[in-house]
Amino acid sequence: MFRNIWDALKKNPLIDESYRIMDQLHHQTQEMFLLSVKNLIDQDGDPEEVIKMDKEVNKNVQRVRRKVFEYF
């Protein structure tokens, strides 16, 4: 039984793609956070860039949700 669950999680390309996107999301949100802090503390940078990054993060979150939904 556990073998079937493990195989379903490891071998499905939809899940693999979701993991890849989540890794990308991690890097994007880290960069977005650092840029936001820079904008707040140093008053340096472009706040519009943070908004663009946020929209890209939202798109990627929707992609992950779609892939997980397709998987189930």
Side-chain angles (χ1 to χ4, degrees), residues 39 45-52:
N39 284 333
D46 184 18
E48 292 296 321
E49 184 66 26
V50 176
I51 293 170
K52 280 192 233 177

Side-chain angles (χ1 to χ4, degrees), residues 6 10 14 17 21-22 25 27-29 32-37 39 43 45 47 49 61 63-64 69-70:
W6 179 254
K10 287 300 283 180
L14 291 171
E17 180 69 14
I21 295 170
M22 289 300 296
L25 278 169
H27 294 293
Q28 286 176 325
T29 53
M32 191 170 74
F33 173 77
L34 294 173
L35 186 59
S36 298
V37 170
N39 284 333
Q43 299 293 318
E49 184 66 26
V61 168
R63 286 176 54 204
V64 169
F69 182 74
E70 288 175 24

Side-chain angles (χ1 to χ4, degrees), residues 14-71:
L14 291 171
I15 297 299
D16 291 340
E17 180 69 14
S18 295
Y19 284 138
R20 188 190 64 73
I21 295 170
M22 289 300 296
D23 185 50
Q24 183 181 3
L25 278 169
H26 170 74
H27 294 293
Q28 286 176 325
T29 53
Q30 182 180 18
E31 184 180 340
M32 191 170 74
F33 173 77
L34 294 173
L35 186 59
S36 298
V37 170
K38 182 179 178 182
N39 284 333
L40 287 173
I41 294 175
D42 298 336
Q43 299 293 318
D44 184 31
D46 184 18
E48 292 296 321
E49 184 66 26
V50 176
I51 293 170
K52 280 192 233 177
M53 293 172 80
D54 182 55
K55 289 179 181 179
E56 184 66 30
V57 165
N58 290 339
K59 287 179 187 177
N60 283 334
V61 168
Q62 289 176 356
R63 286 176 54 204
V64 169
R65 287 179 182 170
R66 192 175 308 113
K67 291 193 181 298
V68 170
F69 182 74
E70 288 175 24
Y71 173 76

